[in-house]
Amino acid sequence: QFLRNGRTPPPVRPFRRSVGGTIVSGPASRKGGRALARLARIHPEVRGTRGQRRGSGGAEWGRAGRVALVTRRTAASIICVYLIGLTGGIASGKSVVAKRLAELGATVVDADQVARDVVAPGTPGLVAIARRFGSGVIAADGSLDRTSLGKLIFTDPDARLALNAITHPAIRRRSAELFVDAERADPHAVVIYDVPLLIEASAEPGYHKFDLVVVVDASSETRLGRLVQLRGHTREEAQQRLNSQATDSERLAIADVVIDSNGTVEETIAQAEALWNGLPGSTRPGA
């Protein structure tokens, strides 16, 4: 297995795995150096970041057939399910990947939906938002006026931080409850946490520990075009939304796997399938 989800991580052992036609070898393999040299692209500014942070002794990070694989990994999930953090910038194609993984058998927890739930009418979250931002962000039916709130937070970093301070703890608690629910239903489940603000939230104390972090990556220009053409934003509005999120390099720095979504939907889906097929056989439902 080239990725492990054991509660007590075993010593690193050699592995060889073909992804997108490229052989990726573990650090103990004699062919590891040559295999890594064949990777299509290495990002030096990212290499080793995650391994060092998790105490795995370093990691080689590269792109192979548009899917990047980490050669060394220390699992960190606090529950028995295999927990994958799936993130990407706005309009990156992350939802396409989440949908395909769900079709393949994963349990998907949508952080955006959780975020809506914790600010529904009558919740402490909505009360706190109204107190902080005023009645102008509350619609006539008593629900959150997301358009009005969005105009505030996408142009005012302090307002965005204030909103995050209200919503993120509630989202974290509710997501943890959903992870436990998934574990009760199937202790061997693969749970995908579809979370756009993983970078922003992961710095907070007590945030979830993932067995794997997957970043869906598309260039800023590609995402800008999608926001304008597919979602009807003006170019200025689209740029504000891009600027309000973590940078591409910040996301790539925490990635264990990168899915390149600059191409067609079909190409993105193919990479999601390659990711699924590359998960440890003992983890994947139906394997």
Side-chain angles (χ1 to χ4, degrees):
Q1 293 180 348
F2 68 93
L3 299 172
R4 297 185 178 88
N5 70 326
R7 301 310 102 190
T8 303
V12 174
R13 293 181 296 177
F15 63 81
R16 298 181 73 226
R17 189 78 181 180
S18 176
V19 178
T22 301
I23 299 296
V24 182
S25 300
S29 169
R30 289 175 294 178
K31 296 185 179 181
R34 281 182 292 169
L36 288 167
R38 289 198 295 270
L39 292 173
R41 194 183 335 173
I42 297 292
H43 293 261
E45 72 278 9
V46 175
R47 178 188 292 179
T49 301
R50 198 166 175 78
Q52 292 162 6
R53 185 152 47 229
R54 291 293 176 84
S56 63
E60 294 287 349
W61 187 100
R63 189 163 298 186
R66 290 190 166 191
V67 177
L69 297 177
V70 159
T71 61
R72 283 182 261 184
R73 184 73 174 92
T74 300
S77 180
I78 60 173
I79 53 179
C80 291
V81 298
Y82 195 84
L83 185 60
I84 298 176
L86 175 66
T87 192
I90 188 171
S92 64
K94 177 173 56 63
S95 296
V96 171
V97 174
K99 182 174 183 290
R100 183 58 185 138
L101 292 174
E103 292 170 349
L104 291 168
T107 298
V108 175
V109 175
D110 183 348
D112 280 341
Q113 183 58 55
V114 175
R116 295 185 191 96
D117 294 342
V118 300
V119 296
T123 61
L126 187 60
V127 171
I129 288 174
R131 184 180 300 120
R132 170 60 177 78
F133 296 99
S135 59
V137 299
I138 305 300
D141 63 358
S143 64
L144 180 64
D145 186 336
R146 296 180 180 279
T147 301
S148 297
L149 183 61
K151 290 177 180 178
L152 293 175
I153 66 170
F154 287 125
T155 57
D156 183 347
D158 289 337
R160 187 163 60 251
L161 288 173
L163 177 66
N164 291 345
I166 294 170
T167 59
H168 282 185
I171 293 169
R172 183 170 64 247
R173 287 191 297 269
R174 179 56 184 151
S175 297
E177 291 171 357
L178 293 173
F179 300 157
V180 172
D181 288 347
E183 181 182 28
R184 287 172 179 161
D186 179 4
H188 303 291
V190 174
V191 177
I192 309 294
Y193 189 37
D194 180 354
V195 52
L197 301 182
L198 190 149
I199 291 288
E200 294 85 344
S202 62
E204 299 168 358
Y207 196 67
H208 313 300
K209 304 297 184 182
F210 299 101
D211 293 295
L212 192 73
V213 172
V214 178
V215 172
V216 182
D217 183 49
S219 70
S220 297
E221 193 59 35
T222 295
R223 294 187 286 124
L224 195 66
R226 290 171 181 170
L227 286 171
V228 172
Q229 297 168 17
L230 303 179
R231 302 194 188 181
H233 294 297
T234 66
R235 192 171 182 85
E236 182 181 5
E237 290 171 340
Q239 190 64 59
Q240 287 177 346
R241 281 161 170 74
L242 262 63
N243 293 343
S244 72
Q245 295 188 333
T247 65
D248 292 343
S249 61
E250 287 172 332
R251 276 187 291 270
L252 292 175
I254 69 163
D256 294 319
V257 176
V258 173
I259 292 179
D260 183 340
S261 67
N262 285 291
T264 65
V265 172
E266 290 75 18
E267 289 171 334
T268 299
I269 289 174
Q271 292 173 80
E273 293 169 347
L275 166 66
W276 182 259
N277 292 330
L279 293 177
S282 61
T283 299
R284 203 167 59 249

